[in-house]
């Protein structure tokens, strides 16, 4: 930890030497902007005129070599290093809660190779994912990783939080899309994971670093899969009377083929967001399905879809709502369209098998709405597998019920989360599906894993004995 | 610092929003988090809430925005971060908080009318201008950037109109349009005065052909805002496209494969994207970069080339990468400052052509 002005100046000169003066900052604007990420608490804190914990230094290395130099300096002085990609994470993962160095990855945005023979792009992990999409589009391909934060967040951030996009059902989550990675370990060593992700040479190193949230090292380069653009992408909207029928219909559908988009909205979200943005006025649970690929296959898939959903009494709303949804899918996230301060809100995504997911939904809804009668609980289900699906559930508390005092607001926020996550775990869910843990949910990782936590802790201890990497995140 | 309610509202929308960061040419080139609308808004919101001073480095950040409106154009809600950025530039000027390097440019503009502080015209250009001293209905407004930074561009613009047989005036003592002060210190009295003086001169002409998109944008937008009347404003590209269409300017296709760099002022602020394409298509084979028309990316130059040359250089290099990614060897520009910036950073074997150079090569 930086302790005095003299030492601070010494360290600054060493960091400048590592990354260049213009890429090493102690400027106030850099400290402020790296103190607030998408975490509601950091936003609320700033909104109430408080300064978040800030870095002592903000450095932007251009590659693994420069990152390695930064790590060696940090390890020598035992200074915390918090990696910052786009700062679009919602769990406070990129906030330098213990001060020290913020290592911003965005200068590591080089596209090294667009390989259409092996169908991957190799890039620096500081690249905004949209830029990787552009690079793929330039050769007529696509990344098929389309989170709502496609334009906000970096390759490294998505890897570090195990992110997911809207066409995940067909193309997978980010952890399905990586071939090889380069990682700088806390001691400054630069390592590469295996040349391909499928092998029998022990556990997959990729999967140790994917999801590690900057606690085990800095991912500096990655090879990400690209795909042919689908010949055709079709949409179909459906209205189920309730969610139960939709779960059964979807499970059956997924044993037959994989649509690209599957989004089921609970009655509350159908009546609010979907009504507002997509225009569905009817009561029930709206579900949007997209299926895509080679035209002949799409024809067959459409037939299977219509037959399967009809069996469960789904009303076919045609393609119009689905197309509108696709067009507006990112609009939901712009200020003016989504929840905002002074409201308190949070996305408690979880994932579970089909036999548990509905139970989790009702248990969480009851727990939150009973304990906090002023809170609304809404959900949609957006990433589906043959065995289960994820729930993107949100609580919303209107501004009038949110304490004015920031510390009191923080306490209420922590309490609501504790209620929600404990209920999810108790009913067979997990702490999180695709937003990660950060500082927000660190306390629950031990609760989920129990004695299995020693595996993660053992890796942490071996790789980062000085505990400099992103302290107080991921429960490590 | 005074801040209007409208600015505060935009700041409070942008400060926690990440959606348009991918499109910012400056942020993309520098990789710095502060070069986003979000960061700029967050810094100001913290100042507005009394948790920070409007420190010199927050002010520097205000001048790291090119005001290219890519973010504004991309925003699904319609927020415009350049609104508060411009307002802060004005207020800082009123409160004596403008950075010294900006004041130095402002002083030059006030003294000479151009951001370079140049007083003498290039001799060849002066001669070319003199040949068009007679008063005509049409005036070719060359603009300070062409006159003092890229005089060959100004000469070529004159040659193009001459080739089409247009009768036009060029002023030896062309007034400053006011675009530079508007960019530097916003709607200050000095800016309005410069615009008012310029409008008074231009009002004597039926048609004003604005060679530089920076001036064209000021004539169309800010002059309207200040209710300043001038003749019909036509961009150089729209004017030349009309000459080609009417057959007054006869060009043959050179067969050269090129991409066109839309100046953001034309594409986003004046909604002119097809006229320059009509010119380029008549003279060459037009291909497109992925980010074109309204999605165009600023390619460097102008103010930032003076006070933040590294950023300008990085921005230009990024744009070259965009061109190279689609296999282009030649970029055609319609902005004098982008022409200069792209020329200075052209990789080996790559060429930048101004649209007037392209036309002259196709005569
Ligand atoms: C409007 C909006 C919509 C969103 N929608 C989605 C969505 O649809 N799907 C989804 O999955 N997420 C979504 N998110 C959340 C967010 O985009 C993801 O969590 C993303 O993974 C964060 O990436 P980032 O680059 O912004 O990372 P940051 O917030 O900067 O960092 C997140 C964590 O990753 C670590 N980290 C970052 N880069 C590296 C690296 N190179 N090596 C090691 N550790 C690193 C950080 O230390 C931190 O712990 C959304 C966010 C926003 C703002
Ligand atoms: S301009 Fe729009 S997209 Fe950009 S930060 Fe502001 S609100 Fe977000
Ligand atoms: S106006 Fe242009 S330079 Fe300024 S923040 Fe927006 S995109 Fe970036």
């Amino acid at each position: 930890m930086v302790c005095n002005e003299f030492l601070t100046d010494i360290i600054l000169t060493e960091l400048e030497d590592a990354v260049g003066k213009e890429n090493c900052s102690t400027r106030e604007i850099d400290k402020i902007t790296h103190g607030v990420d998408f975490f509601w608490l950091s936003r609320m804190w700033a909104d109430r005129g408080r300064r978040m914990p800030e870095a002592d230094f903000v450095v932007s290395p251009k590659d693994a070599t420069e990152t390695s130099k930064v790590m060696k300096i940090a390890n020598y002085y035992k200074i915390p290093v918090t990696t910052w990609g786009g700062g679009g994470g919602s769990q406070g993962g990129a906030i330098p809660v213990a001060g020290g160095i913020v290592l911003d990855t965005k200068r590591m945005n080089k596209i090294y190779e667009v390989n259409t023979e092996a169908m991957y792009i190799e890039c620096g992990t500081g690249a905004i994912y949209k830029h990787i999409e552009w690079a793929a589009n330039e050769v007529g391909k696509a990344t098929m990783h389309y989170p709502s934060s496609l334009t906000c967040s970096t390759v490294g951030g998505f890897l570090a939080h195990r992110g997911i996009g809207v066409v995940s059902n067909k193309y997978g989550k980010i952890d399905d899309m990586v071939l090889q990675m380069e990682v700088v370990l806390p001691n400054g060593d630069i390592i590469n994971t295996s040349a391909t992700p499928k092998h029998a040479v022990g556990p997959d190193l990729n999967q140790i670093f994917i999801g590690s949230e900057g606690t085990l090292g800095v991912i500096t380069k990655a090879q990400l899969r690209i795909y042919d653009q689908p010949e055709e992408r079709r949409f179909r909207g459906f209205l189920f009377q309730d969610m139960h029928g939709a779960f059964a219909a979807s499970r059956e559908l997924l044993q037959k083929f994989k649509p690209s988009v599957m989004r089921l909205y609970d009655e509350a979200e159908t009546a609010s967001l979907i009504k507002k943005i997509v225009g569905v006025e009817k009561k029930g649970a709206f579900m949007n399905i997209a299926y895509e690929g080679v035209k002949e296959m799409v024809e067959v898939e459409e037939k299977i879809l219509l037959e399967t959903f009809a069996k469960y009494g789904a009303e076919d709303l045609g393609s119009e709502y689905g197309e509108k949804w696709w067009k507006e899918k990112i609009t939901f996230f712009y200020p003016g369209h989504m929840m905002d301060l002074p409201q308190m809100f949070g996305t408690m995504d979880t994932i579970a098998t089909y036999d548990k997911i509905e139970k989790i939904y009702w248990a969480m809804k009851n727990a939150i709405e009973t304990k906090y009668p002023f809170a609304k609980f809404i959900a949609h289900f957006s990433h589906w597998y043959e065995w289960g699906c994820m729930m993107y559930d949100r609580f919303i508390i209107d501004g009038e019920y949110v304490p004015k005092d920031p510390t009191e607001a923080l306490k209420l926020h922590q309490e609501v989360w504790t209620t929600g996550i404990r209920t999810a775990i108790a009913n067979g869910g997990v702490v999180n599906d695709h937003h990660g843990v950060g500082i927000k949910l660190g306390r629950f990782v031990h609760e989920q894993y129990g004695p299995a936590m020693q595996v993660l802790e053992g890796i942490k201890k071996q790789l980062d004995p000085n505990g400099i990497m992103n302290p107080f995140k991921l429960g490590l | 610092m005074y801040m209007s309610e409208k600015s505060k509202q935009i700041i409070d929308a942008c400060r926690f929003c990440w959606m348009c960061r991918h499109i910012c040419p400056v942020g993309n080139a520098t990789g710095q988090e502060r070069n986003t609308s979000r960061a700029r808004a967050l810094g100001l919101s913290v100042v507005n809430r009394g948790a920070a001073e409007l420190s010199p480095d927050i002010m520097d950040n205000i001048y790291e925005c090119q005001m290219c409106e890519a973010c504004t154009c991309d925003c699904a809600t319609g927020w415009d971060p350049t609104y508060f950025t411009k307002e802060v530039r004005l207020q800082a000027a009123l409160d004596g908080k403008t950075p010294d390097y900006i004041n130095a440019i402002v002083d030059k503009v006030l003294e000479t009318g151009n951001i370079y502080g140049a007083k003498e015209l290039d001799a060849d250009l002066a001669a070319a201008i003199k040949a068009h001293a007679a008063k005509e209905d049409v005036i070719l407004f060359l603009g300070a950037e062409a006159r003092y930074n890229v005089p060959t561009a100004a000469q070529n613009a004159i040659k193009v109109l001459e080739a089409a047989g247009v009768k036009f005036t060029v002023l030896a003592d062309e007034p400053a349009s006011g675009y530079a002060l508007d960019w530097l210190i916003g709607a200050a009295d000095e800016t309005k005065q410069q615009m008012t003086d310029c409008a008074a001169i231009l009002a004597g002409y039926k048609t004003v052909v604005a060679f530089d998109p920076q001036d064209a944008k000021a004539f169309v937008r800010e002059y309207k805002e200040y209710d300043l009347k001038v003749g019909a404003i036509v961009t150089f590209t729209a004017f030349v496209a009309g000459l080609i269409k009417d057959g007054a300017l006869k060009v043959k296709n050179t067969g050269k494969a090129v991409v066109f760099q839309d100046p953001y002022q034309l594409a986003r602020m004046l909604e002119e994207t097809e006229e320059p394409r009509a010119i380029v298509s008549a003279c060459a084979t037009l291909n497109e970069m992925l980010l074109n028309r309204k999605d165009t990316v600023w390619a460097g130059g102008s103010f930032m080339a003076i006070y933040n040359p590294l950023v300008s250089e990085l921005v230009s290099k990024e744009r070259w990468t965009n061109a190279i990614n689609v296999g282009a060897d030649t970029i055609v520009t319609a902005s004098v400052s982008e022409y200069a910036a792209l020329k200075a950073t052209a990789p080996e074997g790559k060429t930048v052509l101004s649209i007037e150079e392209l036309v002259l090569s196709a005569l």
Side-chain angles (χ1 to χ4, degrees):
Chain A
M1 197 81 68
V2 181
C3 44
N4 60 55
E5 209 182 319
F6 177 78
L7 195 54
T8 303
D9 287 349
I10 294 279
I11 295 167
L12 179 62
T13 60
E14 293 187 20
L15 290 171
E16 284 176 349
D17 183 52
V19 297
K21 270 190 181 155
E22 66 278 17
N23 301 307
C24 180
S25 170
T26 53
R27 292 165 61 174
E28 189 175 29
I29 184 72
D30 290 314
K31 291 181 179 181
I32 291 172
T33 51
H34 286 94
V36 178
D37 68 356
F38 202 52
F39 182 23
W40 185 86
L41 277 184
S42 71
R43 293 194 258 171
M44 181 273 290
W45 215 245
D47 181 63
R48 305 281 168 92
R50 295 275 192 102
R51 293 279 284 265
M52 281 294 290
E54 288 166 8
D56 297 286
F57 314 95
V58 177
V59 300
S60 312
K62 78 166 189 300
D63 55 19
T65 308
E66 288 189 2
T67 303
S68 166
K69 288 181 188 167
V70 172
M71 294 302 206
K72 285 183 178 153
I73 296 166
N75 238 311
Y76 178 74
Y77 291 105
K78 299 191 176 47
I79 313 171
V81 177
T82 302
T83 306
W84 176 287
S90 50
Q91 317 296 68
I95 299 172
V97 288
I101 297 171
V102 158
L103 188 150
D104 188 315
T105 61
K106 283 191 292 298
R107 273 186 76 230
M108 296 196 269
N109 64 351
K110 195 166 169 184
I111 295 177
Y112 293 95
E113 190 186 0
V114 180
N115 189 326
T116 49
E117 198 179 342
M119 297 294 279
Y120 70 78
I121 289 180
E122 184 175 277
C123 64
T125 52
I128 307 286
Y129 220 98
K130 178 74 176 183
H131 295 172
I132 305 303
E133 175 68 10
W134 282 341
N137 295 166
E138 275 169 339
V139 294
K141 309 286 178 198
T143 63
M144 299 301 179
H145 180 64
Y146 303 144
S148 305
S149 51
L150 183 66
T151 63
C152 315
S153 290
T154 60
V155 167
F158 284 115
L159 289 167
H161 270 336
R162 291 188 175 275
I164 202 164
V166 292
V167 292
S168 66
N169 300 288
K170 187 175 173 83
Y171 302 99
K173 228 173 161 216
I174 194 79
D175 39 79
D176 301 313
M177 295 179 164
V178 192
L179 301 183
Q180 192 182 26
M181 303 194 312
E182 174 190 78
V183 182
V184 179
L185 298 179
N187 65 6
D189 282 355
I190 302 171
I191 63 160
N192 283 293
T193 61
S194 168
T196 70
K198 297 286 175 196
H199 58 77
V201 195
D204 182 1
L205 291 185
N206 276 345
Q207 298 301 334
I208 291 176
F209 292 99
I210 295 175
S212 66
E213 303 192 357
T215 61
L216 302 179
V218 182
I219 308 166
T220 45
K221 216 189 253 184
Q223 291 174 351
L224 298 150
R225 292 176 63 190
I226 52 175
Y227 303 78
D228 281 340
Q229 293 277 13
E231 269 176 39
E232 191 143 333
R233 173 177 287 140
R234 287 191 201 169
F235 297 92
R236 206 82 178 193
F238 296 91
L239 197 71
F240 284 89
Q241 273 186 349
D242 54 39
M243 293 196 307
H244 187 71
F247 284 118
S250 300
R251 182 186 49 230
E252 186 176 326
L253 188 71
L254 275 156
Q255 313 309 315
K256 295 172 179 166
F257 80 94
K258 284 188 177 178
S260 56
V261 177
M262 291 180 77
R263 289 230 155 175
L264 169 67
Y265 294 82
D266 72 355
E267 285 93 329
E269 207 163 324
T270 301
S272 52
L273 264 185
I274 289 298
K275 186 174 167 189
K276 183 173 162 199
I277 305 220
V278 185
V280 176
E281 297 277 348
K282 295 181 179 176
K283 270 192 167 173
F286 175 71
M287 187 160 194
N288 184 28
I289 307 278
Y291 34 107
E292 61 190 60
V294 179
K295 192 163 183 272
E296 287 100 307
M297 306 273 276
V298 171
E299 298 281 353
V300 176
E301 288 177 357
E302 184 169 276
K303 190 166 165 280
I304 297 171
L305 167 69
L306 293 177
E307 282 169 9
T308 310
F309 274 26
K311 273 197 331 200
Y312 292 88
E315 183 186 344
D316 180 0
L317 301 176
S319 60
E320 191 193 326
Y321 292 122
E323 278 161 13
K324 178 109 201 288
W325 177 89
W326 180 258
K327 223 173 119 238
E328 302 289 351
K329 63 185 184 299
I330 292 190
T331 309
F332 292 98
F333 289 89
Y334 283 82
H337 294 278
M338 75 177 299
M339 292 86 66
D340 205 350
L341 289 156
Q343 285 175 314
M344 180 188 284
F345 49 90
T347 299
M348 295 176 161
D349 49 317
T350 190
I351 179 154
T353 48
Y354 284 123
D355 53 336
K356 304 198 177 82
I357 192 74
E358 233 185 310
K359 196 170 71 178
I360 295 173
Y361 168 83
W362 288 111
M364 286 179 80
K365 191 172 174 67
N366 284 338
I368 287 180
E369 290 184 346
T370 309
K371 195 162 176 198
Y372 312 98
F374 44 81
K376 274 196 292 286
F377 181 89
I378 61 173
H380 62 258
F381 301 79
S382 30
H383 306 286
W384 300 68
Y385 306 88
E386 293 89 335
W387 46 266
C389 70
M390 73 78 62
M391 172 167 72
Y392 188 103
D393 48 326
R394 287 188 271 204
F395 73 88
I396 306 161
I397 299 174
D398 282 334
E400 65 209 88
Y401 301 106
V402 179
K404 294 281 168 283
D405 176 63
T407 305
E408 290 305 314
L410 179 147
K411 283 182 188 162
L412 174 64
H413 181 265
Q414 294 285 90
E415 266 181 39
V416 180
W417 275 91
T418 299
T419 305
I421 301 298
R422 288 229 167 98
T423 310
I425 298 174
N427 286 279
V430 295
V431 172
N432 188 268
D433 174 69
H434 66 267
H435 287 102
V437 171
I439 192 159
K440 186 202 265 181
L441 305 178
R443 62 196 186 278
F444 302 114
V445 180
H446 292 258
E447 293 182 25
Q448 178 182 312
Y449 280 127
M453 191 70 193
Q454 65 187 299
V455 178
L456 290 183
E457 285 170 342
I459 296 172
K460 170 79 176 172
K461 204 164 167 189
Q462 177 63 29
L463 292 183
D464 182 20
N466 291 325
I468 59 166
M469 298 306 295
N470 213 359
F472 311 120
K473 312 291 171 64
L474 198 55
L476 288 171
Chain B
M1 164 180 283
Y2 165 80
M3 198 166 288
S4 66
E5 279 313 307
K6 184 170 172 187
S7 280
K8 283 184 185 159
Q9 207 187 359
I10 303 172
I11 285 169
D12 281 1
C14 295
R15 68 190 163 144
F16 303 139
C17 172
W18 273 251
M19 300 305 274
C20 64
R21 68 155 60 229
H22 67 297
I23 205 85
C24 178
V26 180
N28 287 343
T30 63
Q32 298 299 334
E33 184 68 32
R34 67 175 181 273
N35 295 144
T36 58
S37 299
R38 170 197 86 95
R40 205 163 286 115
L42 179 65
L44 292 173
S45 81
V46 169
V47 170
N48 283 343
R49 283 162 175 76
E53 293 291 312
L54 187 69
S55 59
D57 70 53
I58 294 183
M59 271 317 296
D60 287 343
N61 192 234
I62 295 296
Y63 282 97
E64 284 180 345
C65 170
Q66 172 61 22
M67 313 287 277
C68 75
E69 296 187 11
C71 48
T72 313
C73 184
D74 197 66
C75 182
T77 326
W79 298 109
D80 176 8
T82 65
Y83 186 90
F84 65 73
T85 307
K86 196 170 169 181
E87 190 175 286
V88 172
R89 289 180 184 188
L90 169 65
Q91 285 306 321
L94 297 175
D95 297 351
K97 291 206 162 183
T98 306
D100 289 346
Y101 52 86
I102 297 296
N103 276 331
I105 304 176
V106 171
D107 289 345
K108 284 181 181 157
V109 179
L110 288 172
E111 194 195 335
T112 64
N114 67 80
I115 60 177
Y116 305 101
K119 290 179 182 155
E120 297 288 326
L121 277 179
D122 167 88
D124 291 341
L125 175 60
I129 290 174
K130 207 169 169 192
H132 293 279
K135 175 99 195 282
E136 306 289 351
D137 285 348
V138 175
I139 181 169
L140 175 63
F141 190 93
L142 290 170
E145 188 73 21
R147 288 163 73 95
Y148 299 105
N149 193 30
V150 194
T152 50
Q155 279 171 259
N156 287 334
I158 293 172
K159 282 183 195 158
V160 169
L161 296 201
E162 285 174 346
V166 179
K167 291 209 174 311
F168 61 99
T169 304
V170 185
L171 296 176
D173 290 324
E174 191 179 81
S177 71
Y179 89 83
L181 287 184
D182 184 62
W183 194 94
L184 292 162
I185 49 172
D189 289 346
E190 292 84 344
T191 310
K192 288 181 194 164
Q193 190 56 53
Q194 236 178 31
M195 291 187 172
T196 307
D197 294 346
C198 182
I201 293 170
L202 297 185
Y205 297 86
K206 272 196 186 140
T207 306
V208 180
V209 178
F211 178 52
D212 190 329
Q214 302 184 104
D215 298 311
K217 176 246 168 192
F219 294 151
V220 172
R221 272 214 197 160
E222 280 76 29
Y223 281 35
K224 192 172 170 204
E225 199 180 317
Y226 306 142
D227 203 21
L228 299 172
K229 303 269 186 297
V230 281
I233 304 294
V234 190
T235 61
F236 180 76
T237 36
F239 194 71
V240 173
L243 294 173
I244 293 175
K245 197 171 165 211
D246 299 348
L249 193 60
K250 297 201 178 2
V251 290
K252 53 185 184 316
N253 198 308
T254 59
K256 200 173 184 46
V258 303
V259 288
F260 177 62
Q261 160 64 11
D262 291 87
Y264 65 81
Q265 296 93 345
L266 283 193
R268 281 197 278 274
M269 301 164 181
L270 304 179
E271 299 189 357
E272 182 187 305
T273 56
E274 301 318 302
E275 289 84 346
R277 280 181 173 69
I279 303 174
V280 176
S281 302
C283 304
T285 304
L286 173 66
N287 297 315
E288 295 288 358
M289 287 184 273
L290 191 72
L291 298 172
N292 60 61
R293 296 183 168 84
K294 281 193 132 182
D295 296 329
T296 189
V297 181
W298 173 55
S302 197
F303 307 96
M304 247 187 252
I306 297 175
Y307 69 83
N308 216 337
L310 180 64
V311 170
S312 174
E313 184 187 327
L314 290 171
V315 166
S316 298
K317 285 183 174 163
E318 282 278 313
R319 199 53 174 156
W320 270 114
T321 306
N322 292 166
I324 291 163
N325 283 351
V326 294
D329 288 331
T330 304
I331 300 182
V332 174
T333 62
S335 149
V336 186
S337 56
E338 287 185 327
Y339 171 81
L342 287 167
K343 203 166 177 95
T345 52
E348 222 180 301
K350 308 290 170 193
T351 323
V352 58
L353 274 181
S354 67
I355 203 158
E356 55 283 356
E357 280 174 336
L358 179 68
V359 171
L360 292 174
S361 74
L363 288 177

